[in-house]
Amino acid sequence: LSLSATCISAQAVQQTVSYTIEAKLDTTDHVISATTEISYTNNAPKDLDTIFIHLWANAFSDKLSAYSDQAIRMGQLDFYFSDEKEQGGYEDFTVILDGKKMTMYRWNRHSDVLYFLLPKALETGGNIQIKTSYNLKLPKNWSRMGRKQFDDYLMYWYPSPAVYDASGWHPMPYLSMGEFYSEFADFDITIDIPFQYVTASVAPSSITRNTYEYKASNIHDFAI
């Protein structure tokens, strides 16, 4: 694993990342079924043998998560004493690389930060296509994302690579207080949403019946 805190180079590192996401939102059970293909190019001046992936929503599936610990310290106990039906997270999450299913590992004890070992080191300038599939149960709207009355808030709802910069990997868990450190990326998102729902996001590139397509370049995150 490469978790160096020392400077690799005096020059900043910006990895090239793009997402192609096909998703469907079930507003009855509050579940997103999706596939995501992540194009990842290594611009760092060293080879990578590991890829870290954020599954931010898993912070709401584990009462021992970093988010839960922080909420308790702040005197917010609602999530810790929540029912299972109010919780949420990823189910049936798989990562496919070159047609092979990757074995996923937790970073430390965090269920919202996973990593896998590359079969072959990703050289400087090299590119890989990371394919994922999953079902995501939206939790109650504890923090940023989730369901609240008649609304579903889709924030940090797709798997995303952790940042790799001049200091190495930054596999940080989800926290309510604080901001996220994520790669800027290009997005091509197609999502099916029941016709009676209205989306609040950037203007879609196209709408066909209840299918919305969004495209955006060089942005930090995509929320609906």
Side-chain angles (χ1 to χ4, degrees), residues 21-204:
I21 302 175
E22 294 185 2
K24 182 176 182 179
L25 174 62
D26 180 341
T27 54
T28 300
D29 295 327
H30 304 283
V31 172
I32 301 171
S33 301
T35 59
T36 297
E37 183 167 340
I38 305 168
S39 177
Y40 187 93
T41 301
N42 179 23
N43 298 321
K46 66 174 294 183
D47 298 349
L48 302 180
D49 58 8
T50 308
I51 300 292
F52 285 85
I53 300 289
H54 290 299
L55 298 180
W56 299 115
N58 276 354
F60 308 104
S61 66
D62 183 356
K63 291 187 178 183
L64 298 179
S65 67
Y67 160 74
S68 181
D69 289 345
Q70 184 185 64
I72 291 171
R73 292 196 303 272
M74 295 171 61
Q76 300 171 357
L77 305 179
D78 289 354
F79 175 71
Y80 186 78
F81 289 107
S82 63
D83 296 328
E84 184 177 349
K85 65 181 180 180
E86 296 178 308
Q87 299 160 21
Y90 285 85
E91 300 173 350
D92 304 320
F93 176 75
T94 60
V95 170
I96 303 294
L97 191 66
D98 294 330
K100 182 180 178 181
K101 183 178 179 180
M102 297 289 100
T103 300
M104 306 301 296
Y105 304 93
R106 288 189 182 193
W107 177 64
N108 290 345
R109 62 177 180 81
H110 301 294
S111 60
D112 51 348
V113 186
L114 304 184
Y115 68 90
F116 63 93
L117 306 178
L118 291 169
K120 179 182 178 182
L122 183 60
E123 300 177 349
T124 301
N127 173 271
I128 55 174
Q129 302 293 315
I130 305 168
K131 297 182 179 181
T132 74
S133 62
Y134 52 92
N135 293 319
L136 171 57
K137 176 187 174 184
L138 293 176
K140 180 180 176 180
N141 184 221
W142 303 106
S143 169
R144 293 186 173 96
M145 75 168 301
R147 49 188 168 84
K148 182 178 181 181
Q149 294 181 328
F150 303 108
D151 300 327
D152 287 331
Y153 297 89
L154 277 57
M155 298 181 182
Y156 311 107
W157 56 279
Y158 48 85
S160 59
V163 170
Y164 186 92
D165 63 14
S167 298
W169 285 106
H170 294 265
M172 58 188 65
Y174 182 99
L175 294 173
S176 182
M177 296 295 292
E179 198 44 74
F180 292 84
Y181 189 30
S182 301
E183 297 282 8
F184 281 78
D186 298 338
F187 290 82
D188 185 346
I189 298 175
T190 302
I191 183 167
D192 288 350
I193 298 174
F195 70 91
Q196 67 270 33
Y197 274 67
V198 176
T199 64
S201 186
V202 296

